[in-house]
Amino acid sequence: RRVVRQSKFRHVFGQPVKADQMYEDIRVSKVTCDSSFCAVNPKFVAIIVESGGGGAFIVLPLAKTGRVDKNHPLVTGHTAPVLDIDWCPHNDNVIASASEDTTVMVWQIPDYVPVRNITEPVVTLEGHSKRVSIISWHPTARNVLLSAGCDNLVILWNVGTGEMLLALDDMHTDLIYNVGWNRNGSLLVTTCKDKKVRVIDPRKQQIIAEKTKPHDGTRPIRAIFVADGKIFTTGFSRMSERQLGLWD
């Protein structure tokens, strides 16, 4: 007899928000990538969308809810699907996008709704040899952007000049699942398919702490720094039960 695993949430019901308070008719990307596909800041919401021949995302002012016009201008410039987007913490009109075409592009978004697609990035960053699935702006330093790709490589960029500041290339033996900065941007935490969580000092370019198998399951592990410098992880047990961990 098959055991049906009961969900704890089977008696939880949500109320859908009113139509005029949501964004409708957005064709969200169907690319198989472990990304949130959207990014938001105090001015805009950006969502990675389906597009023929290349990759694109749509940027909508937060106040402009309701049905989205199917001819609404997109941000298009990548030659393959967009996998991750991240707003700059120091400028609400700047967003970065990472793509399967191995590049990272940084865009300037105007305050008004443009008439046609935005196709010219401010800068294109080229240095990865495989698709780039993770990008993250430095929390305190201006113009510093991190990218991580399927080539197991983490690169820090100077967006102002378009040059590579440093490449952390011999630290990960397998696919990188996620990367997170601490509060002041002095340390990185990464999780990897080799089941290790690493704390990296990018200035010294060395691993200062490492934990093997924080969760025993085979599914991807995620990690972030919390405010006091501890590390919070999510993962699964051997029986595929969800687990949370807090580490010193």
Side-chain angles (χ1 to χ4, degrees), residues 53-79:
F57 58 96
I58 189 169
V59 176
L60 301 166
L62 284 186
K64 197 177 181 321
T65 49
R67 196 167 291 261
V68 177
D69 182 7
K70 63 176 184 293
N71 296 319
H72 191 285
L74 304 176
V75 182
T76 63
H78 288 287
T79 57

Side-chain angles (χ1 to χ4, degrees), residues 165-178:
L165 294 172
L166 58 95
L168 308 172
D169 53 359
D170 51 359
M171 297 188 174
H172 299 89
T173 58
D174 212 327
L175 184 68
I176 300 166
Y177 284 143
N178 90 304

